[in-house]
Amino acid sequence: MAARSFRLSVTQRILLVVAILAVALFGYWATSRGAGATPPPSAGPVPVSAADAQKQLDELGIAARTSMDGYSREKFKHWDSQGAGCDTREIVLKRDGKDVQTDKDCRATAGTWTSIYDGETWTKPTDVDIDHMVPLGQAWASGAKAWTAEKREQFANDLTRPQLFAVTDNVNQQKSDKAPDQWKPPLVSFWCTYATDWIVVKHHYGLTITQGEKTALTDMLRRC
């Protein structure tokens, strides 16, 4: 009888573990598919010091910009799914906004966004764009033309480097694919961070800069 009682105890334990796992898996499934799904948390980019940025700037290769022949935004696949029904754009809107509300499809419906480029504050998601710090066209002309499609996709959806930000839409359109020697943010107090972020992204991806670009970045770093 003792042996029979021991076998039943082990069976009961196995059934209990299976039941717990089933409940946990169902909870995860229900959460990820439920209405009002919210984006997974994003820690945002890690800032670097002006000294580190200057070191990285000195390590960047100097080269003339190549032509834009063959370029299209479609060659930089975006926006990728980031889980919980949310894509990269929606993650950035949630991360950069305040009191952001989303619908069941993870689309932002309300919130407050302050643009780092001009300091303007907006309350409609349609008033902000998700900007690539180093624009896709700028990347194409400084090395990304030779990348694989997978690397260009990583670049266009990078949430780890300081590459994606919610900014005033018309300011983003003014920036377009320009480098810092061609365009700078209207908010002069942001120039230091703009330079360090630009350098970090270009350094990580091994993109080149022009001499004029390096001069502009060096001048902006002096404001740090």
Side-chain angles (χ1 to χ4, degrees):
M1 291 295 292
R4 179 180 177 82
S5 176
F6 176 76
R7 287 196 297 271
L8 287 174
S9 178
V10 170
T11 301
Q12 289 171 343
R13 291 176 184 176
I14 292 173
L15 289 174
L16 179 60
V17 170
V18 171
I20 292 172
L21 289 173
V23 170
L25 287 171
F26 178 80
Y28 173 79
W29 176 85
T31 300
S32 64
R33 292 180 61 87
T38 57
S42 173
V46 177
V48 302
S49 68
D52 288 341
Q54 183 65 60
K55 182 176 182 295
Q56 292 184 20
L57 176 61
D58 293 337
E59 292 171 351
L60 291 176
I62 305 294
R65 294 185 187 110
T66 63
S67 79
M68 296 286 285
D69 291 349
Y71 167 73
S72 73
R73 288 179 63 84
E74 286 68 30
K75 292 187 177 180
F76 292 78
K77 183 178 178 292
H78 60 289
W79 305 105
D80 284 354
S81 171
Q82 299 294 336
C86 307
D87 64 25
T88 306
R89 182 181 190 279
E90 292 155 349
I91 292 292
V92 178
L93 283 173
K94 180 70 173 178
R95 183 199 69 194
D96 290 358
K98 181 180 179 182
D99 300 325
V100 178
Q101 299 177 28
T102 59
D103 63 16
K104 63 182 180 61
D105 296 316
C106 197
R107 290 188 293 257
T109 57
T112 302
W113 292 268
T114 299
S115 170
I116 54 176
Y117 287 170
D118 57 357
E120 295 294 332
T121 298
W122 307 96
T123 57
K124 294 181 180 178
T126 53
D127 287 331
V128 294
D129 284 348
I130 303 305
D131 176 58
H132 290 91
M133 172 59 65
V134 176
L136 305 183
Q138 166 63 211
W140 180 268
S142 56
K145 182 177 182 178
W147 290 353
T148 62
E150 290 75 18
K151 187 172 182 179
R152 287 196 290 266
E153 181 178 0
Q154 177 191 356
F155 178 83
N157 296 274
D158 192 343
L159 291 166
T160 303
R161 261 62 54 179
Q163 168 67 342
L164 296 168
F165 298 95
V167 300
T168 305
D169 54 3
N170 64 330
V171 174
N172 183 44
Q173 291 157 19
Q174 292 168 11
K175 176 187 176 185
S176 185
D177 292 316
K178 300 180 181 72
D181 55 320
Q182 302 166 314
W183 184 90
K184 296 178 179 65
L187 195 63
V188 177
S189 60
F190 185 68
W191 283 10
C192 168
T193 304
Y194 189 73
T196 59
D197 288 354
W198 184 281
I199 293 165
V200 166
V201 173
K202 279 219 162 181
H203 186 271
H204 177 80
Y205 285 96
L207 294 168
T208 60
I209 56 173
T210 65
Q211 186 57 56
E213 189 178 342
K214 183 172 184 178
T215 299
L217 289 165
T218 301
D219 178 66
M220 294 167 82
L221 286 178
R222 293 194 184 105
R223 297 177 178 271
C224 294

